[in-house]
Amino acid sequence: MGDAHDSSRGRDDKAKGGGWKREEAGEGVARGQPRDASRATHKDGDTDSPVPANMAVPRERRACGAEVTQPEVRPRLRGLGARCRGWRTVSGAMPRAAGLGRAAALGPLLAAHVVAAIEPISVGIALGAASALTGYLSYTDLYCRFAECCREEQRLNASALKLELEEKLFGQHLATEVILKALTGFKNNKNPKKPLTLSLHGWAGTGKNFVSQIVAENLHSKGLKSNFVHLFVSTLHFPHEQHIKLYQDQLQGWIRGNVSACASSVFIFDEMDKLHPGVIDAIKPFLDYYEQVDGVSYRKAIFMFLSNAGGDLITKTALDFWRAGRKREDIQLKDLEPVLSVGVFNNKHSGLWRSGLIDRNLIDYFIPFLPLEYRHVKMCVRAEMRARGSAVDEDIVTRVAEEMTFFPKGEKIYSDKGCKTVQSRLDFH
Ligand SMILES: Nc1ncnc2c1ncn2[C@@H]1O[C@H](COP(=O)(O)OP(=O)(O)OP(=O)(O)O)[C@@H](O)[C@H]1O
Ligand SMILES: [Mg+2]
């Protein structure tokens, strides 16, 4: 492909830029871990399993099951509109103040339960009285102000997302447009026929993780820290080729458990290009057009796959436009999407090599991230300065941008690392 770099270079660069990657990966571990990782039982209780404990037992599943601390109260709460996922939070991460409120609110309900054992007819009256006394019916709302609740029906604030993408994401007109359309359409549809699957492709440092973070925050306010957003990093969670079968089983269990607990869960698979071929096909049934799989509906979940695979194809198209004197913004999705899906399908190092996900058209959108130019790097430097609360100094902006390396050799149009090292370089100025 002429002077354009191949995607393996992007991978090498990522490996070299390990500080950032490790930091993110570490975050993934912490977030992915069950509330009580020590209780996570691997197959046969094998604590020496190479698989991270967080992959062993879906946390919501456990919390919705036997570990609920007040099981006798649970049916009553369900009757009042609380659901299993509510219980996960009630028995889990409730802040102290809310916990006191809960104790006060649950007192009459517990009393009602005791009454039920003595004289069942009184239960309705007792519950009604308890609700009236404690204002329980608004309790869930109140509770969700303090702790995180899964609000499946919550609509997407499309204009806020649009504004955020337009303001913060530089040089990615295709990604901005497709993500906005895909999410708005999906979230406005009360009965989606399948979960939304987005496959993000592009050169290093072009904004794939950055966008996934923005999307996560717009779907669940705690973003990547939300209990309903799950980040998998291939090299961290699925490192060993010899354990593919185990990873597949655990991935299925993990996703099933989390979607059971929150239908609008978001799953982000980072470094897809480093995922062993076949692992991802384990979740194919969940991404298909089934109403339910084993009693669980996956139709409101969102899956995002992030990858450098196809970055070379995207760069080639961008370069062709540039060389033909055409504007970058004239590149359309139809110029790239078909090339991407075929390229990724045929690429052994894409994580989607010969994948049934592509074969069966289960990926809804292949989203290209274009390589970033000098002017975009400058925009990233300015954004970083503002984020640090500093005044924008154009001399520094130029110096940082000029320290970056650009390709192809002759024209030097695209930044080798996108905006990835801007933050660390800015520290020197
Ligand atoms: N298009 C962009 N617009 C604004 N900022 C960007 C963009 N691309 C990258 N950045 C900045 O650079 C940082 C690193 O980018 P990000 O992690 O999203 O790259 P990536 O595409 O995931 O790269 P890689 O393929 O190497 O993982 C982001 O946190 C963000 O600050
Ligand atoms: Mg990334």
Side-chain angles (χ1 to χ4, degrees), residues 14 20 168-170 204-210 308 419-420:
K14 280 173 68 172
W20 177 88
K168 294 185 181 169
L169 184 67
F170 309 132
T206 50
K208 300 178 294 297
N209 280 85
F210 187 55
N308 288 137
C419 278
K420 208 161 180 175

Side-chain angles (χ1 to χ4, degrees), residues 41 45 50 85 103 128 160 165-166 230 241 256 307 318 357 366 411:
T41 48
R85 60 177 176 274
L165 288 172
E166 285 172 355
H230 310 277
E241 194 164 8
R256 186 185 305 120
S307 166
L357 266 56
F366 287 89
E411 292 122 318

Side-chain angles (χ1 to χ4, degrees), residues 15 38 55 61 89-90 103 146 153 168 188 190 208 220 241 249 253 291 293 321 340 349 378 385 390 402 408 417 428:
S38 63
M55 291 296 299
R61 253 183 120 193
T89 49
V90 166
F146 292 98
E153 306 303 335
K168 294 185 181 169
N188 283 344
K190 284 208 157 52
K208 300 178 294 297
H220 296 284
E241 194 164 8
D249 290 346
E291 201 163 323
V293 181
F321 268 69
L340 259 185
H349 304 288
K378 280 183 135 184
M385 284 175 148
S390 321
E402 284 181 354
K417 298 180 179 68
F428 288 107

